[in-house]
Amino acid sequence: MAGRRPVILVTRRLPEAVEARLVRDFEARLNPDDRTLSPEEIVAGAQGADGILTSAIDRLPAALVERLPTSVRIIATFSVGYEHIDLEAAPARGITVTNTPDVLTEATADVAILLLLAAARRAAEGMRLIRERRWIGWRPTQLMGLGLAGKNLGIVGMGRIGLAVARRARAFGLQIHYHNRTRLSPEREEGATYHETLETLLPLCPFLSLHCPATPATRHMINRATIELMPEEAVLVNTARGALVDDEALIAALRGGRLFAAGLDVFEGEPDLHPGYLQLDNVVLLPHIGSATRDARNAMGFRCLYNLDCFFAGKPVPDALT
Ligand code: DGY
């Protein structure tokens, strides 16, 4: 490696400052048109490359990882989530995988609160009313939503983002209940009530926000049976992963009024979300913008670069997952 810059295949267009640094310090194979690369294009583009800088929407399952050239020794993903990369196949090929924790926590927590408020206060309906010129003026009974103060917010997955949501939610007068694989220390709980199971959490929470990773165990954790455990007219927010929710069950519950509303930033099979959502007034839909602030996206890029720098300098890699 001495004397030559590492070659990096970059599967997505990245923020300008990040690409400028990539081009300065690496032999970067960029994707200026931001095209989705097919598995064949990834394998071809990685020929002779030392690493791949990828993102949450570019899938690297075992079958693809196994076809990568042996020159590839690191995959840095521009995301905190890493379920799109096979974490068994990669180390088996001697490939280190890194992600970008921390730097998108605040941005994502903001969007969870944005969706919570928008869903509870029917913001999407209100905006449509105005844009479609159907608003006939203030009425005492118009667009009545739900107040947050004094109620419970359930948080599923009390990691960095869950904690950041809890901090914000307390300012709105919400009391925090949470379910996590392990209970947090009292200092980190800050008065939140721990539930060992979803079954005890859900009945207490008129507001629920999901912050756990998508794994085989969490897939469709919100389904017909778990929705039945929630209070009547509850609100669900998902800024984590679409796979956590059974779309058919959620759509039926929103349509029938069993749930009051939902706020969704992520979808199973996105960008092809379930068409049923488009028919509903009581769902607020965002196109996976949880981390989409300039600050966070730059920080994610520089975090990937720092991991690559450390790796190629033979230093400990801060965000190594494997
Ligand atoms: C992630 O980082 O995992 C997000 O989904 C994209 O910001």
Side-chain angles (χ1 to χ4, degrees):
M1 181 78 32
R4 79 167 176 86
R5 297 185 306 166
V7 178
I8 306 294
L9 171 68
V10 185
T11 64
R12 286 283 151 197
R13 190 167 151 221
L14 299 176
E16 211 176 308
V18 177
E19 288 200 344
R21 226 281 254 158
L22 254 170
V23 169
R24 190 191 72 186
D25 296 339
F26 296 90
E27 202 63 55
R29 296 178 180 166
L30 301 179
N31 180 358
D33 302 327
D34 214 5
R35 255 180 354 94
T36 298
L37 304 180
S38 66
E40 286 64 38
E41 287 174 311
I42 292 180
V43 173
Q47 293 306 313
D50 302 290
I52 299 179
L53 200 169
T54 190
S55 81
I57 55 160
D58 298 301
R59 293 192 62 248
L60 290 163
L64 176 48
V65 170
E66 282 155 13
R67 288 170 58 205
L68 292 174
T70 52
S71 59
V72 172
R73 292 184 298 125
I74 180 165
I75 298 173
T77 181
F78 184 97
S79 60
V80 66
Y82 46 80
E83 75 288 346
H84 54 293
I85 303 172
D86 193 301
L87 288 195
E88 283 181 14
R93 296 284 313 266
I95 299 175
T96 296
V97 179
T98 67
N99 70 338
T100 61
D102 300 318
V103 290
L104 44 66
T105 299
E106 306 300 330
T108 308
D110 287 349
V111 168
I113 296 294
L114 172 72
L115 286 172
L116 181 66
L117 287 168
R121 298 301 301 274
R122 305 174 62 180
E125 279 175 86
M127 288 180 197
R128 272 195 296 276
L129 202 64
I130 290 191
R131 285 189 176 278
E132 293 167 10
R133 305 225 161 186
R134 289 183 289 110
W135 188 38
I136 51 164
W138 191 89
R139 295 287 190 275
T141 57
Q142 190 175 61
L143 284 178
M144 292 191 294
L146 304 177
L148 306 186
K151 302 192 183 142
N152 291 341
L153 169 66
I155 295 185
V156 182
M158 198 65 137
R160 300 176 191 85
I161 298 173
L163 282 166
V165 170
R167 276 200 306 278
R168 286 159 173 72
R170 286 189 187 98
F172 290 95
L174 286 157
Q175 271 123 36
I176 311 302
H177 289 246
Y178 75 101
H179 167 62
N180 204 37
R181 268 174 312 179
T182 50
R183 184 171 181 170
L184 304 184
S185 64
E187 300 76 62
R188 298 189 77 213
E189 270 183 352
E190 293 185 66
T193 306
Y194 177 62
H195 294 261
E196 217 171 289
T197 64
L198 268 187
E199 284 66 29
T200 64
L201 174 84
L202 294 180
L204 299 179
C205 298
F207 300 102
L208 188 75
S209 192
L210 306 180
H211 299 286
C212 53
T215 65
T218 61
R219 182 164 189 272
H220 291 188
M221 64 161 33
I222 300 300
N223 53 45
R224 199 186 309 193
T226 50
I227 289 172
E228 273 313 306
L229 296 175
M230 295 171 74
E232 289 290 333
E233 301 207 310
V235 171
L236 173 75
V237 169
N238 188 9
T239 53
R241 284 292 183 263
L244 302 179
V245 174
D246 174 348
D247 289 327
E248 294 285 349
L250 178 57
I251 289 164
L254 289 168
R255 190 182 291 130
R258 176 64 180 77
L259 292 184
F260 183 78
L264 308 175
D265 185 45
V266 287
F267 305 90
E268 193 159 37
E270 63 185 51
D272 299 322
L273 62 159
H274 192 300
Y277 287 123
L278 304 177
Q279 318 292 322
L280 295 170
D281 263 338
N282 54 348
V283 61
V284 184
L285 305 168
L286 291 178
H288 202 149
I289 59 165
S291 65
T293 64
R294 293 176 185 177
D295 296 340
R297 290 285 164 88
N298 278 322
M300 290 164 77
F302 287 114
R303 188 95 177 206
C304 289
L305 293 174
Y306 186 57
N307 282 306
L308 293 174
D309 289 343
C310 292
F311 180 83
F312 290 112
K315 295 184 185 158
V317 181
D319 304 316
L321 297 163
T322 56

